[in-house]
Amino acid sequence: MTRTGRYLLDNQRTEAGERFDAFATLFDPTTFRHLDGLGVGPGWRCWEVGAGGTSVVSWLAKKVGPTGKVVATDIDVSRLTGAARPPVEVRVHDIGAEQPPAEGFDLVHARLVLVHVPERERALRSMVKALRPGGRLLLEDADPALQPLLCPDEHGPEQQLANRLRHGFRKLLTDRGADLSYGRRLPRLLREAGLRGVEADAHFPLTSPACAALESATVRQIRADLVAAGLATDEDIDRHLAHVASGGMDLATAPMISAWGRKA
């Protein structure tokens, strides 16, 4: 993330921990499958960008072992302190404004980061620069514009309210510099950055307890912003949270697009 003051989803909030747990449940299996496919193993030097939580960092640490290294960076590392032991090094770092923490990495990975970074072009250049020749870059980012609805099956007033609040959330993100159609461009951007063997796929969770947990935590975290911007009332939000808690709605995430390639 970047230290611009515009980031909507502050890691310091209690709900941030709930969101990280939900992301881990929803997306870790996909991320780990891709990392395995890239061959991450003993002795690798890895940079986890915008780490936020610890699930990917801890997985990488086990894979690289005592002869490897995992550098985990974010503008707010308060939730990474538990992972800060060899082979993990935790650093405060602004991917959109600062040079990479080192170079010669075998792997650089970022998940659900660049969509929120206004200086995303500079950030991508920084990550490519940090790779050794032959090193791998794996970028995973949401594309909310590709699937903008919380309830794709909008069949009743509860779903209509949910989608209206999701529209408000998307407006708040856009106003803070998020690019809600960034995910679909990742394969092209990796090729334009000079990477070889670029491939990509997408993961689209639909209906699970983790989807509901993520929605509840997110709406509670941005509640004051939605109300202040006139995008929802407290009554709207209370009704929506009650609907989510009832378990009767099919809630979706935005598709997460994963793209990977190798530095020449």
Side-chain angles (χ1 to χ4, degrees):
M1 305 305 175
T2 65
R3 203 176 288 112
T4 63
R6 288 183 287 176
Y7 185 47
L8 182 64
L9 299 162
D10 185 355
N11 287 0
Q12 294 286 342
R13 293 282 300 273
T14 301
E15 296 88 352
E18 299 175 44
R19 297 182 73 253
F20 288 139
D21 288 344
F23 283 141
T25 300
L26 291 166
F27 298 123
D28 277 2
T30 297
T31 296
F32 297 162
R33 172 171 59 85
H34 290 314
L35 292 172
D36 265 331
L38 294 177
V40 177
W44 275 45
R45 300 180 70 250
C46 305
W47 178 17
E48 181 67 16
V49 181
T54 62
S55 65
V56 176
V57 173
S58 297
W59 187 93
L60 287 171
K62 291 178 182 177
K63 284 288 185 177
V64 306
T67 61
K69 188 178 183 90
V70 178
V71 179
T73 64
D74 206 327
I75 58 168
D76 179 355
V77 298
S78 57
R79 296 185 180 276
L80 291 169
T81 54
R85 55 184 178 276
V88 176
E89 177 184 341
V90 174
R91 296 191 194 181
V92 175
H93 181 264
D94 185 340
I95 184 59
E98 298 175 354
Q99 291 295 311
E103 296 187 15
F105 287 106
D106 300 290
L107 169 79
V108 177
H109 172 245
R111 184 174 77 187
L112 304 175
V113 172
L114 293 186
V115 67
H116 297 289
V117 176
E119 304 85 0
R120 56 188 62 86
E121 292 182 8
R122 176 175 178 171
L124 177 56
R125 290 195 300 269
S126 177
M127 288 188 277
V128 173
K129 177 182 178 182
L131 289 168
R132 66 166 176 80
R136 270 68 169 176
L137 176 63
L138 171 62
L139 295 183
E140 301 182 293
D141 245 310
D143 195 313
L146 194 62
Q147 195 297 103
L149 302 178
L150 178 62
C151 296
D153 180 20
E154 190 183 75
H155 68 89
E158 295 88 352
Q159 290 76 19
Q160 292 166 4
L161 173 60
N163 287 338
R164 179 161 63 85
L165 293 184
R166 176 55 57 93
H167 176 76
F169 177 36
R170 292 174 63 228
K171 185 178 189 310
L172 291 175
L173 288 171
T174 301
D175 289 347
R176 286 160 176 78
D179 182 347
L180 302 186
S181 59
Y182 187 69
R184 74 190 72 179
R185 296 202 290 275
L186 287 176
R188 172 173 58 84
L189 294 173
L190 266 57
R191 287 194 301 272
E192 291 177 351
L195 299 187
R196 306 286 180 83
V198 173
E199 299 181 56
D201 65 14
H203 180 53
F204 174 29
L206 174 64
T207 309
S208 76
C211 287
L214 177 60
E215 174 63 9
S216 176
T218 300
V219 170
R220 285 184 280 114
Q221 184 163 355
I222 66 171
R223 178 181 194 129
D225 298 281
L226 288 169
V227 173
L231 297 168
T233 66
D234 280 313
E235 181 184 22
D236 290 334
I237 294 170
D238 287 339
R239 284 193 294 124
H240 175 58
L241 290 173
H243 296 155
V244 172
S246 74
M249 293 195 299
D250 296 317
L251 306 179
T253 71
M256 185 183 75
I257 297 175
S258 303
W260 58 94
R262 173 179 50 84
K263 188 174 183 178

